[in-house]
């Protein structure tokens, strides 16, 4: 039976949603809004897939840097959208979850709730 890391797909998905939301509100016109609302989440997803996904083979340093970048920027985007409390809560939950994963030595390859 493998231990579950719990929540990584949800954390990443929420970060991508925040990037799209921030991009939509940051763009000046419809074209800019569409480019940012679609482009930012896609760029973050590609970066995540290359460096931070459990199947990525880029090493621990790039993985930690990309996780920090993606989740940190999502928290900053929430703050910039006018939701400082949500931004701080998001950052605290993400940091707590990542610490629990690493300190609890939970497997990064077992989806939440799955058992072998």
């Amino acid at each position: 039976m493998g231990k579950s890391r719990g929540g990584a797909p949800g954390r990443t998905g929420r970060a991508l949603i925040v990037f799209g939301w921030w991009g939509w509100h940051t763009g000046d016109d419809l074209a800019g809004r569409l480019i940012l609302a679609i482009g930012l989440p896609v760029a973050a997803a590609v970066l995540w897939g290359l460096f931070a996904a459990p199947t990525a083979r880029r090493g621990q340093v790039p993985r930690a840097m990309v996780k920090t970048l993606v989740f940190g920027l999502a928290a900053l985007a929430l703050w910039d959208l006018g939701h400082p409390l949500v931004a701080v809560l998001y950052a605290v939950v993400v940091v707590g979850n990542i610490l629990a994963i690493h300190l609890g030595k939970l497997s990064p390859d077992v989806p939440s709730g799955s058992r072998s």
Side-chain angles (χ1 to χ4, degrees), residues 12-75:
T12 309
R14 282 186 288 276
L16 298 179
I17 290 168
V18 169
F19 291 145
W21 181 21
W22 183 83
W24 182 258
H25 286 280
T26 302
D28 292 330
D29 57 3
L30 181 61
R33 287 178 167 205
L34 288 172
I35 290 168
L36 289 172
I38 295 168
L40 289 174
V42 168
V46 169
L47 191 65
W48 188 272
L50 290 173
F51 297 101
T55 56
R57 302 286 180 234
R58 305 288 184 187
Q60 292 302 316
V61 173
R63 179 172 289 147
M65 289 171 37
V66 169
K67 285 183 178 184
T68 302
L69 180 71
V70 168
F71 295 134
L73 289 176

Side-chain angles (χ1 to χ4, degrees), residues 100-111:
I101 291 167
H102 291 289
L103 295 176
K105 297 185 181 7
L106 301 174
S107 171
D109 297 324
V110 180

Side-chain angles (χ1 to χ4, degrees), residues 2-10 54 106-116:
K3 291 183 182 179
S4 169
R5 70 184 150 131
L106 301 174
S107 171
D109 297 324
V110 180
S112 181
S114 296
R115 297 185 185 245
S116 306

